[in-house]
Amino acid sequence: MARHLITSAIPYINGIKHLGNLVGSQLPADLFARYQRARGHEVMFICATDEHGTPAELAAAKAGKPVADYCTEMHEVQAEIARGFRLSFDHFGRSSSTRNRTLTQYMAKTLGEQGLIAEKAERQFYSVDDGRFLPDRYIEGTCPNCGYDKARGDQCENCTKQLDPTDLINPHSAISGSTNLELRETKHLYLRQKSLREDIRGWITSKHDWPVLTTSIALKWLDDGDGLQDRGITRDLAWGVPAQFDGAPWQGMEGKVFYVWFDAPIEYIAATAEWADANDKAETDWERWWRTDKGAGDVTYTEFMGKDNVPFHTLSFPATLIGVNRAGGAQWKMVDYIKSFNYLNYEGGQFSTSQGRGVFMDQALSILPPDYWRWWLLSHAPESADSEFTWENFQVSVNKDLADVLGNFVSRITKFCRSKFGEALPEGGVWGEREAQLIAELTTRLGAYEGFMEEKEVRKAAAELRAIWVAGNEYLQSAAPWTVFKTDPAQAAAQTRLALNLTRLYAVLSEPFIPDACAATLAALKTEDRSWPTDIRAALEVLPVGHAFETPDVLFRKIADEEREDWQKRFSGIRT
Ligand SMILES: [Zn+2]
């Protein structure tokens, strides 16, 4: 049994995410976690809300609530939506937890003791009209790298370059739009990433199996221009992990907190500790996932994220862990594989949280059950390039793949059996050449499906699963038990038994993609047997002669043209 540590990039606490966010991290991570569990492996699947930083402060102020209360409420909203999409986190943590504060301060202290944190006096933008220092995200301007005119002070979301606010051309306050900015003197802590550059390069270049998207972004920012630069890790904010604490190897950082991008990835570890706290586990139970000096040596760690998060996960967070590990105490597990995604676009443009354009996670669940969304999103995951959500494509995919192929197969064979043999697996007949051919095809396809799932090739895995469903339909079409029944009822019984067992097998194989349909099918078949097939022939004999079932309700309904047109209109403009 292997051990898989799986993390999804943690969504920011401020507001409900759209479908592009879902398919870029949480959903493919869930697919992989469910698959590894189905294969009998031990899985720790972690996600959390990213709660610190200015946007949370401002959103709380707007809502007229203390920021801690605001975050508690929004965490519960996001957790509820995650449950709605059947995201099977072992724990959904909070970066504002005590665990994360303790770990973040410990890591900063250890880095400081290693000489890897520098104190720098610097000049920072102070907005005279807003009466405050402006954190990076609250300064906007033109990206010096690509010319995008809405680049933020920390990163250009168009070209993903990490920025400092002073890099921006025509900087202005994102709060008030004011250009009345003054550079004033203040002191901040910097992570000395530059001195770790060769360690990071050696680590990245040792990862021969990473997707090109991941390594190309990492190497670009490692070597771009003057190469990897030291990174400011404190901000002038009240909400966050305090940068001045007992035992800190520096003074004078009162009133400052760690930059949200410093403490957010540490929350992957902290959330696993939160899991232990929530489940009455011992320290060693979470440490065995994260500390290679405490049993994590055999863990395979996979991270899932959108491409905009790659620089932080290939440079900043590894720099933190490499630096802390150098101290020779606790040895922290570093990621083995980073699966990154391009963007999902919406109907010829971009999803936009600020403009309310596209479908948001709560809205999606209000119109259709989670499996419909899970299937479309995963089978169209933006892996090799950006992909696009259109309502036409969504309708076609749901109606064909789910209703016509899978749903129709299950409905047809259960209804046929009920009408001719009753609701139990019929007796008689033997398998022949046609069945042998089906078993051979399914055996080949199962191997391919498993290979794509292991490689985290999401679209290819979906295509292979669909081909497995199609093979069953084609078998049923050519075997035609409804015709055979007239002349040879025993033969029709053998075909029906096979097809009913194939229904169970489909539920098992499809569970990582469409868990609700799997549960509904197994319930109808009155079996709890979810064992992953090692031999197709044996898997098609799991349900014996005489095993009773109930003809299930329609698994997937079709989307009508009028509905599609209605939704198209509803989600085109401003979210209300
Ligand atoms: Zn740019």
Side-chain angles (χ1 to χ4, degrees), residues 8 26 29-30 37 45-48 78-79 82-83 86-93:
S8 158
Q26 291 177 324
D30 183 68
R37 288 190 198 109
F45 177 25
I46 291 294
C47 193
Q78 293 207 19
R83 286 190 286 272
R86 312 293 183 250
L87 301 175
S88 60
F89 308 133
D90 287 287
H91 192 72
F92 188 53

Side-chain angles (χ1 to χ4, degrees), residues 260-374:
V260 62
W261 259 111
F262 183 71
D263 80 68
I266 295 172
E267 168 64 9
Y268 293 142
I269 306 173
T272 317
E274 293 167 43
W275 161 84
D277 295 339
N279 293 283
D280 287 323
K281 305 279 183 184
E283 289 295 289
T284 49
D285 290 322
W286 71 263
E287 287 171 342
R288 66 190 275 277
W289 289 100
W290 282 103
R291 287 186 54 175
T292 55
D293 57 324
K294 291 201 173 179
D298 64 345
V299 169
T300 301
Y301 175 22
T302 309
E303 292 175 349
F304 289 80
M305 68 194 67
K307 64 183 169 188
D308 52 329
N309 284 345
V310 170
F312 299 101
H313 287 81
T314 52
L315 306 170
S316 312
F317 186 40
T320 297
L321 296 183
I322 289 171
V324 171
N325 287 348
R326 238 189 217 181
Q331 295 297 297
W332 299 92
K333 172 78 190 164
M334 291 176 64
V335 69
D336 293 301
Y337 191 90
I338 297 181
K339 174 72 181 181
S340 55
F341 290 85
N342 286 285
Y343 295 140
L344 179 70
N345 293 318
Y346 179 80
E347 293 268 356
Q350 289 179 342
F351 277 92
S352 169
T353 303
S354 55
Q355 293 168 30
R357 189 168 188 280
V359 188
F360 288 75
M361 287 170 72
D362 56 339
Q363 296 170 327
L365 289 176
S366 76
I367 59 175
L368 282 172
D371 281 355
Y372 294 63
W373 299 106
R374 291 178 62 104

